């Protein structure tokens, strides 16, 4: 007999012919060893530079929340800009019961699809929230280029104007009008 669901469990043995039975109740099943994390609750999509609150939950190999997890997690992301903010390493407390929300501690700043990973600092078990769509922040500046230099007076030119947000992402959703 192997019990794999945490909590208070009951085991009953029943005679298949006469139906007589015996039961043991209140068998406390605790989580097995750490197997993986689930990282979730990161807003998707989100605007670059907007703080969000990831939740990291520890699980055992039977998909039970590892309520007795007291290890330390560290964070990494596919978004490696210096302006990106990841939660600092965190050591779980008994009161976390294997689940902790990092309120406002994550800020992604690179547009596109990003990932955030939480990893146990000792065993290397991890979990990732992927396909987090980061959209550009508000317009910050323009770059004007592709004008021939030097230029002969009176010669037409075709400048390129590119809109950027404050995190140096191309503002792909810019629909404004520019004048020269």
């Amino acid at each position: 007999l192997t019990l794999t669901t945490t909590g208070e469990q009951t085991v009953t043995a029943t005679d298949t012919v006469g139906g007589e039975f015996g039961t043991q109740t209140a068998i406390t099943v605790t989580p097995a060893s750490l197997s993986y994390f689930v990282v979730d609750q990161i807003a998707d999509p989100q605007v670059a530079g907007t703080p969000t609150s990831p939740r990291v939950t520890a699980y055992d190999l039977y998909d039970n929340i590892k309520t007795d997890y007291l290890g330390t997690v560290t964070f990494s992301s596919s978004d490696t800009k210096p302006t990106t903010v990841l939660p600092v390493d965190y050591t779980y407390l008994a009161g976390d019961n294997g689940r902790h929300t990092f309120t406002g501690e994550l800020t992604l700043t690179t547009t596109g699809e990003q990932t955030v990973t939480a990893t146990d600092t000792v065993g290397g078990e991890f979990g990732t929230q992927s396909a987090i769509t980061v959209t550009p922040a508000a317009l910050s500046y323009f770059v004007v280029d592709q004008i021939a230099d030097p230029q002969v007076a009176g010669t037409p030119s075709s400048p390129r104007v590119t809109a950027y947000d404050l995190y140096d992402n191309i503002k792909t959703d810019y629909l404004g009008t520019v004048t020269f």
Side-chain angles (χ1 to χ4, degrees), residues 39-89:
V39 180
D40 61 5
Q41 294 190 343
I42 298 173
D44 183 24
Q46 68 175 274
V47 175
T50 303
T52 190
S53 303
R55 179 177 68 179
V56 179
T57 306
Y59 284 88
D60 71 9
L61 71 155
Y62 301 107
D63 300 325
N64 297 301
I65 294 176
K66 186 149 176 58
T67 54
D68 58 354
Y69 178 68
L70 299 175
T72 301
V73 294
T74 190
F75 286 85
S76 60
S77 176
S78 59
D79 186 346
T80 58
K81 277 189 180 174
T83 51
T84 297
V85 178
L86 299 175
V88 297
D89 290 4

Side-chain angles (χ1 to χ4, degrees), residues 40-159:
D40 61 5
Q41 294 190 343
I42 298 173
D44 183 24
Q46 68 175 274
V47 175
T50 303
T52 190
S53 303
R55 179 177 68 179
V56 179
T57 306
Y59 284 88
D60 71 9
L61 71 155
Y62 301 107
D63 300 325
N64 297 301
I65 294 176
K66 186 149 176 58
T67 54
D68 58 354
Y69 178 68
L70 299 175
T72 301
V73 294
T74 190
F75 286 85
S76 60
S77 176
S78 59
D79 186 346
T80 58
K81 277 189 180 174
T83 51
T84 297
V85 178
L86 299 175
V88 297
D89 290 4
Y90 178 76
T91 302
Y92 278 65
L93 307 171
D96 289 327
N97 293 311
R99 176 176 281 165
H100 186 77
T101 299
F102 297 82
T103 305
E105 295 183 40
L106 172 69
T107 305
L108 300 174
T109 59
T110 302
T111 57
E113 299 292 308
Q114 301 300 334
T115 62
V116 173
T117 300
T119 305
D120 181 82
T121 58
V122 174
E125 296 85 357
F126 68 93
T128 300
Q129 182 172 338
S130 58
I132 305 162
T133 302
V134 179
T135 60
L139 177 65
S140 181
Y141 64 95
F142 294 103
V143 170
V144 180
D145 60 5
Q146 295 189 349
I147 299 172
D149 184 21
Q151 175 137 159
V152 175
T155 304
S157 185
S158 299

